Amino acid sequence: MSDNIEGIIIGHTLYTHQNYQENRKMVSLIKKTLDKNEEALLELKNFPNGGAASSYDLGYVITQIIYRLGEEEIVLMVEKFPNEEKTFEGLIDVGLEYGDNDYDGKRDNKRFNNEFPKLFKYLDEKH
């Protein structure tokens, strides 16, 4: 298992706490999400990650995907989710706060509402 899938960095705790089959599934979901498959994004956001630091790593994967595809594309994908699934602010928050989305070797400590205002507003209106 690589810690880099098509340029998306997977934090160590996320892929080491999964078995081989789970890791293959996660890789597939990341690739499909990058191909703008909303069902894959839905599965990825709900991917069993074991909690704690692995949740931060999953959030980091998701924020990298948002940066790659753009928040407008992510909003279009999330619009197709069932209403009860339009909740993943926590993962995005920790991905921005603890992730290194600018790849400078330091955690970013960014905030969802500032970094992705359109997606934040869309999700906020759905609650």
Side-chain angles (χ1 to χ4, degrees):
M1 169 75 183
S2 171
D3 62 354
N4 182 318
I5 306 303
E6 295 188 23
I8 302 298
I9 296 168
I10 301 173
H12 179 74
T13 56
L14 183 56
Y15 73 83
T16 58
H17 288 102
Q18 310 297 331
N19 66 37
Y20 180 75
Q21 190 171 12
E22 290 167 326
N23 280 326
R24 287 183 50 89
K25 176 71 171 173
M26 182 175 55
V27 167
S28 172
L29 292 174
I30 291 169
K31 288 179 178 181
K32 287 178 182 177
T33 300
L34 289 171
D35 286 336
K36 302 178 184 177
N37 180 316
E38 69 273 353
E39 292 172 12
L41 177 59
L42 179 59
E43 277 189 69
L44 187 61
K45 87 163 188 77
N46 292 322
F47 194 79
N49 59 63
S54 294
S55 291
Y56 294 179
D57 287 344
L58 181 58
Y60 180 40
V61 165
I62 289 172
T63 58
Q64 291 174 85
I65 290 170
I66 296 169
Y67 281 117
R68 172 83 61 84
L69 296 180
E71 69 176 309
E72 294 86 2
E73 185 64 41
I74 298 297
V75 169
L76 292 174
M77 293 168 72
V78 172
E79 283 176 339
K80 298 174 184 169
F81 287 8
N83 281 336
E84 65 275 6
E85 291 289 352
K86 295 180 181 181
T87 57
F88 56 117
E89 294 90 332
L91 282 173
I92 295 170
D93 279 332
V94 297
L96 288 169
E97 184 174 355
Y98 295 100
D100 181 18
N101 291 288
D102 57 8
Y103 309 110
D104 66 356
K106 297 180 278 187
R107 74 181 210 178
D108 294 336
N109 203 23
K110 294 183 179 179
R111 297 289 175 249
F112 184 8
N113 59 328
N114 294 328
E115 202 63 17
F116 303 125
K118 293 173 187 167
L119 180 58
F120 180 84
K121 183 178 184 220
Y122 176 78
L123 292 173
D124 191 49
E125 290 172 352
K126 296 300 166 189
H127 294 113

